[in-house]
Amino acid sequence: MSDPLNQFDLLARPYRWLEYLVFQNSLERCRFALLPALAGCRRVLTIGEGDGRFVAELVRRYPGMNVDCLEGSLAMIERARAQMPQQAAVTFHHTDAIGWNYPTGEYDAVVTCFFLDCFQETTLTDWVPHVRSALRPGGCWAVAEFCEGESGGRRWRSRFWLGIMYAFFRSLANLEARRLPNWRRLLKRTGSRVQDEGTMRGGLLEWSIWRYEITRKSE
């Protein structure tokens, strides 16, 4: 059985070019659509960061921010570190993000970019509450993900592309998932509400900001 922490090592070098070959800059645009919502954050946790393009842009825009990045591939971490601006307060953790010991109330925001689609819904059901507990009151969860698209022909095309991508990544990276999980339902169960959202590529890509409101204790 392959080491789950290194499933994406083989893809680290060609990943960026494979992404551009299939999607041009659409995935990058989807990730970067999350950035404005993070402007006021002091501490941010990114999960499944990959090759570091999102975090590099994040700390360039907001240089005073402290960021923790969870990533299972050492090869991806090496490429990500090479992109970081000098003096950036970014800490990389080589770890299995599903089994990480999440602190309580440490972060203003959590970011997952094309990460939730890697897992079955049963895995995410147990994991999402742990991530939720890491957020401070009023914090947000920023998500960039694939989706099945709008109705009609576009939905069919989205499912076609998703089927190809799942087959590809399952063969090379031993992905757990075979189809998109209903992660939206799981985030709603933990008390979050969509603050802002949008779609791209005819609904194949989506981004959303999920806000956890501050709960006032009854007097």
Side-chain angles (χ1 to χ4, degrees):
M1 183 174 180
S2 61
D3 180 358
L5 294 185
N6 292 291
Q7 290 175 351
F8 282 87
D9 278 358
L10 293 176
L11 292 171
R13 185 178 296 274
Y15 183 81
R16 181 170 186 170
W17 306 115
L18 287 171
E19 178 180 309
Y20 279 114
L21 178 65
V22 179
F23 296 104
Q24 290 78 51
N25 67 342
S26 295
L27 267 66
E28 192 163 281
R29 287 174 51 233
C30 193
R31 296 184 190 101
F32 289 179
L34 305 174
L35 292 169
L38 306 176
C41 298
R42 292 175 295 164
R43 292 202 67 193
V44 172
L45 174 67
T46 72
I47 303 175
E49 170 55 30
D51 62 10
R53 279 173 284 159
F54 176 82
V55 169
E57 183 63 23
L58 178 65
V59 295
R60 272 194 286 266
R61 292 195 188 190
Y62 313 120
M65 188 178 289
N66 285 271
V67 184
D68 284 336
C69 299
L70 308 187
E71 173 54 51
S73 166
L74 275 175
M76 287 288 194
I77 290 175
E78 290 174 2
R79 299 187 75 80
R81 281 178 172 153
Q83 298 191 64
M84 292 304 112
Q86 290 186 352
Q87 309 304 320
V90 178
T91 302
F92 290 94
H93 303 267
H94 178 228
T95 185
D96 172 12
I98 298 298
W100 198 57
N101 186 19
Y102 289 86
T104 300
E106 285 289 326
Y107 301 101
D108 300 302
V110 169
V111 181
T112 52
C113 293
F114 305 104
F115 177 79
L116 303 177
D117 57 85
C118 296
F119 301 94
Q120 294 180 5
E121 194 167 328
T122 52
T123 299
L124 296 180
T125 298
D126 294 331
W127 174 75
V128 165
H130 295 293
V131 181
R132 161 70 182 98
S133 69
L135 283 167
R136 293 170 177 161
C140 74
W141 191 326
V143 180
E145 265 303 344
F146 295 103
C147 59
E148 291 190 342
E150 302 159 358
S151 60
R154 287 183 174 180
R155 186 178 182 87
W156 182 90
R157 286 193 294 272
S158 294
R159 287 182 172 180
F160 173 77
W161 279 109
L162 286 169
I164 291 175
M165 285 188 293
Y166 270 115
F168 176 79
F169 283 105
R170 279 183 64 83
S171 65
L172 290 182
N174 194 29
L175 283 192
E176 175 185 298
R178 293 179 180 272
R179 56 173 297 174
L180 286 174
N182 191 343
W183 56 268
R184 283 180 166 263
R185 177 172 60 192
L186 301 180
L187 265 61
K188 289 178 182 177
R189 283 181 182 174
T190 59
S192 66
R193 295 292 181 269
V194 177
Q195 183 182 49
D196 197 9
E197 62 184 336
T199 61
M200 299 178 183
R201 298 280 294 215
L204 177 60
L205 309 177
E206 64 176 317
W207 61 269
S208 51
I209 307 298
W210 297 74
R211 183 68 61 180
Y212 289 89
E213 300 297 337
I214 298 175
T215 302
R216 295 182 180 180
K217 296 181 179 180
S218 59
E219 297 181 358

